[in-house]
Amino acid sequence: MSDENSELLMTVDEIKTSETEEIVTVQEEISTYRSEKQVPLVVEKQAPLEVEEEVHKSHEDEIPPELEELLHTDPGKGLTSAEVADRLVQFGRNELSEVKRNAILHFLSFFTGAIAYLIEIAWILSGVTKDWINFGIIGALLLINALIGYIEEAKAESALDALKQTLALKTRCWRDGHLVEVEAAELVPGDVIVLRLGDIIPADARLLGIGVTGEATEGDLQVDQSALTGESLPVSRKKGHTVYSSSVVKQGQQLAVVTKTGSNTFIGRAANLISITVDEGHFQKIVNQIGNFLIYITVVLVVIIFVHELVSDKINTGNVDVLDALKHVLVLTVAARGLRALGVARTVPGDLERYQLVGMISLLDPPRPDSALTIRECKFLGVDVKMITGDQLIIAKEVAHRLGMGRVILDANHLVDPNKSEEEVTNHCERADGFAQVIPEHKYRVVELLQKKGLLVGMTGDGVNDAPALKKANVGIAVHGCTDAARSAADIVLLAPGLATIVDGIKTSRAIFQRMRSYALYRITSTVHFLIFFFIVTIAENWQMPAILLILICVLNDAATLVIAVDNTQISPKPDKWRLGQLITLSIVLACFLTIMSFAHYFVAKLVMNVTPLQLNTIMYLHISSCPHFVIFSTRVPGYLWENIPSLLFFVVIIATQIFAMLMSIYGLFGEGEGIGAIGWPWGLSVLAISFAYTFVLDFIKVQIFKWWSFENTVRIFPTSKRVAKLEARRAVATEKKRIYDNWRKARKVVLLSSGVVGFQNAVAQRKTQNA
């Protein structure tokens, strides 16, 4: 299948591959020269290690002036009971609020929507026609669909429950001049709380720089806020700094004044992002668009048939037949290197108050051993990987370097710069290799902006800080050892350590995509063929297929297509994309060719071979059961059907269902009482053979359409102003990218050659000096 940009853009991978080949060529030339001239490899003496101090930057919440006035509480007395009562009314309880939906009404909401309404009409018509088998099957499908949707949406509520479990239950604070233990939910802004080693911080609070007994303290409070920001090490917080709810005190003790509670806290805002994220899945959107397309053409054709029957005055005893046909039509539609340093000192002899620095120990929280390989494999599969971390900028750059990523890591302030438009910020998100010093809102914003750009976004994470972005992403992946909040918000949970499983997930998802596209193409093609053929034959010939045969087509063929889930697939080397225009156009073309073959069978059997009406019913059943069904061998791959052999189970099940249909048709199963006549072996074998052979004709048509299809060609056929402008913009971007990369590649080659020549000259000069 040709990509819509294949004729316009030189991909980055191609450029990088070409660049790598040139670098390898230059290196080979250098090696050859060195061996011929017998030039030794010279390693220059490295400069002494330099230590660069990086100031820790952290996010600080802004406090509104009206709230600031309430924070000047006497640390030795705290708030009075009256003040607490007033502020509880003003700010509410210090807990994560959630709106509980009526469970019954929420469940019933999954029975709404265009597709659901259409299936419900089919369900009602099954009851009207007393077709209790289909009545039960359709009702069960509606119920199962609603249950699945209800369970999936419950994930958001379970994520909020997981967040609540990270909050403190009780805390110590000053009230009415006494140090008392209170429920954390009863805290209000202005409360003076005690923070000690091991305490879970109960609310966002500002450190006062004094101890529990009122004495001044010079020591910093060491706080582990990794669950909120993702920082790998505890951070030092001193007087005037803010500490956040659900963080843990790792060292020190101080008094602090509560600044924000409940949904206004750092973690409360994260919970709010989770609760408001109820986006419909990408594939669900695609399914709905396909379903709506089939619904529109179904309704139009059925209305025309209904009006036609109303004008021939045939809606009397044939009422049940019309309703039954309508019902089955409805059913078919369905630091410099990021190192933190620890100084080692000893006392000066004779003076215990003075210390002498004797060395430094560098500390780094390294990435997992398999992370670099995972990132390389993701890039090979066309997945752009970005780092979003709460760690400091310099550490993020070093980790990116170790992982083989680009080092264009930006400060999170770029995401909230008021001087930049949303388009500029989106471009930052798209071009940067990552962001550092982020908070949950930043991660959520990155995902949101990339999605608005039309990109599908996957997100990995393990902490509370990742939960909102995991919920917002198209695919949220919670890694091994994640918090309950991350696990509840994610779509996928990795049970093994490391990230290597993500590559398996990408390959599996692409296999699933190929199977879903194959099924969608087959289903749309067969449904459109069914609608067009029965619409025309009903209007022109007043011919209808017996209801029992329609049921057999629905049940037998649809059940057989379930084995597509175990079929062999071709894994795409780059991300796949739903192209509904291409999908629907190809489906309509194939459906039209199927319709031509259907009428060929109909008129040859009726007019040339002069079969009986009952035999005609059976012949057309066998044709409509087999000819569109064999198309699934073609739709399963974008190329010719023999380029990828189907799995044995897939092949056996598809063929077996059609052999069963052939045998049933040959011997006229169900009898003439149901409108079925035996057609014998010659008709049975010939119909099945022609249907199978015709699959190769349709396969050739499919491949030619795929080869021709491109965005440029579709613009030629449908040259709307918007599409023309989009094409011109793509061409301009492609030209500029190619020019930049060509110049950069040439300059890099010159630098490599120049460096090699200088190295050779230095080596030769050194050798002459040694010989002299």
Side-chain angles (χ1 to χ4, degrees), residues 616-638:
L616 179 63
N617 291 343
T618 309
I619 290 170
M620 292 311 300
Y621 157 73
L622 182 58
H623 161 74
I624 292 174
S625 173
S626 60
C627 199
H629 199 53
F630 284 145
V631 172
I632 201 170
F633 286 119
S634 174
T635 61
R636 56 184 295 277
V637 288

Side-chain angles (χ1 to χ4, degrees), residues 49 51-58 222-226 229-237 335-344 359-366 389-396 398-399 402 436-437:
L49 177 64
V51 179
E52 179 181 342
E53 182 179 359
E54 178 73 10
V55 179
H56 184 281
K57 300 176 182 177
S58 60
Q222 297 293 320
V223 179
D224 178 7
Q225 54 186 32
S226 58
T229 64
E231 291 177 287
S232 55
L233 297 174
V235 295
S236 296
R237 311 300 283 158
R337 295 206 56 196
L339 301 177
R340 292 192 176 182
L342 177 64
V344 180
M360 300 186 72
I361 300 176
S362 59
L363 303 175
L364 177 69
D365 183 16
T389 177
D391 268 327
Q392 297 300 298
L393 183 63
I394 199 165
I395 295 179
E398 171 61 19
V399 173
R402 288 171 178 259
Q437 299 167 204

Side-chain angles (χ1 to χ4, degrees), residues 357-657:
L357 182 67
V358 296
M360 300 186 72
I361 300 176
S362 59
L363 303 175
L364 177 69
D365 183 16
R368 289 185 179 273
D370 64 340
S371 297
L373 177 61
T374 300
I375 291 173
R376 284 200 300 272
E377 290 182 336
C378 286
K379 288 182 177 180
F380 178 76
L381 292 170
V383 178
D384 188 20
V385 181
K386 299 182 186 296
M387 175 190 294
I388 306 177
T389 177
D391 268 327
Q392 297 300 298
L393 183 63
I394 199 165
I395 295 179
K397 288 184 177 181
E398 171 61 19
V399 173
H401 173 68
R402 288 171 178 259
L403 294 175
M405 299 175 61
R407 298 188 70 176
V408 184
I409 310 295
L410 302 180
D411 188 279
N413 292 329
H414 286 80
L415 297 171
V416 292
D417 190 340
N419 299 320
K420 294 179 181 178
S421 65
E422 184 168 290
E423 184 178 358
E424 290 177 305
V425 176
T426 302
N427 289 334
H428 281 316
C429 293
E430 191 173 11
R431 296 172 184 172
D433 297 305
F435 292 90
Q437 299 167 204
V438 299
I439 59 176
E441 289 96 325
H442 294 151
K443 296 184 179 183
Y444 186 93
R445 181 161 171 76
V446 170
V447 174
E448 184 179 43
L449 290 175
L450 291 176
Q451 287 177 332
K452 288 182 179 179
K453 190 76 173 179
L455 300 174
L456 296 181
V457 183
M459 170 77 187
T460 64
D462 61 356
V464 174
N465 60 311
D466 300 310
L470 288 172
K471 187 70 172 62
K472 177 65 175 174
N474 298 99
V475 181
I477 304 171
V479 299
H480 175 74
C482 62
T483 62
D484 290 340
R487 182 181 295 107
S488 299
D491 302 292
I492 299 173
V493 179
L494 304 185
L495 300 180
L499 301 175
T501 314
I502 292 177
V503 176
D504 297 330
I506 292 173
K507 293 179 179 178
T508 301
S509 67
R510 292 189 183 178
I512 293 172
F513 177 88
Q514 296 291 345
R515 291 167 181 153
M516 294 307 301
R517 183 173 60 186
S518 170
Y519 178 79
L521 181 57
Y522 158 73
R523 172 53 61 207
I524 299 173
T525 299
S526 59
T527 303
V528 173
H529 159 253
F530 188 94
L531 292 172
I532 294 176
F533 174 72
F534 278 96
F535 172 74
I536 297 175
V537 82
T538 301
I539 296 293
E541 293 287 314
N542 196 29
W543 178 82
Q544 294 180 358
M545 182 175 287
I548 186 64
L549 296 179
L550 287 172
I551 294 174
L552 281 174
I553 291 175
C554 292
V555 176
L556 200 63
N557 290 16
D558 284 358
T561 57
L562 294 177
V563 294
I564 199 172
V566 295
D567 186 26
N568 296 330
T569 58
Q570 289 179 328
I571 303 299
S572 173
K574 53 188 176 182
D576 294 296
K577 179 182 180 181
W578 284 101
R579 296 177 175 85
L580 289 184
Q582 181 191 72
L583 191 68
I584 292 176
T585 301
L586 180 58
S587 299
I588 292 175
V589 171
L590 295 179
C592 289
F593 277 92
L594 281 172
T595 303
I596 293 172
M597 179 56 70
S598 296
F599 276 108
H601 270 82
Y602 180 84
F603 288 114
V604 167
K606 180 179 180 180
L607 302 180
V608 178
M609 306 303 294
N610 295 315
V611 298
T612 66
L614 298 185
Q615 289 178 323
L616 179 63
N617 291 343
T618 309
I619 290 170
M620 292 311 300
Y621 157 73
L622 182 58
H623 161 74
I624 292 174
S625 173
S626 60
C627 199
H629 199 53
F630 284 145
V631 172
I632 201 170
F633 286 119
S634 174
T635 61
R636 56 184 295 277
V637 288
Y640 291 106
L641 61 86
W642 56 82
E643 293 179 357
N644 182 268
I645 305 301
S647 67
L648 180 62
L649 179 61
F650 178 85
F651 181 82
V652 168
V653 171
I654 298 297
I655 296 298
T657 55

Side-chain angles (χ1 to χ4, degrees), residues 7 164 172 346 386 459 575 583 650 685 706:
E7 300 179 8
K164 289 181 179 180
R172 292 177 297 278
R346 65 183 178 186
K386 299 182 186 296
M459 170 77 187
L583 191 68
F650 178 85
L685 290 173
F706 275 149

Side-chain angles (χ1 to χ4, degrees), residues 35-52:
S35 61
E36 291 176 353
K37 301 297 182 179
Q38 296 183 349
V39 179
L41 177 63
V42 180
V43 180
E44 297 182 1
K45 184 179 180 180
Q46 294 183 351
L49 177 64
E50 295 182 359
V51 179
E52 179 181 342

Side-chain angles (χ1 to χ4, degrees), residues 26-36 760:
V26 172
Q27 291 173 341
E28 290 176 351
E29 293 173 0
I30 294 173
S31 300
T32 302
Y33 182 89
R34 179 182 292 124
S35 61
E36 291 176 353
F760 299 151

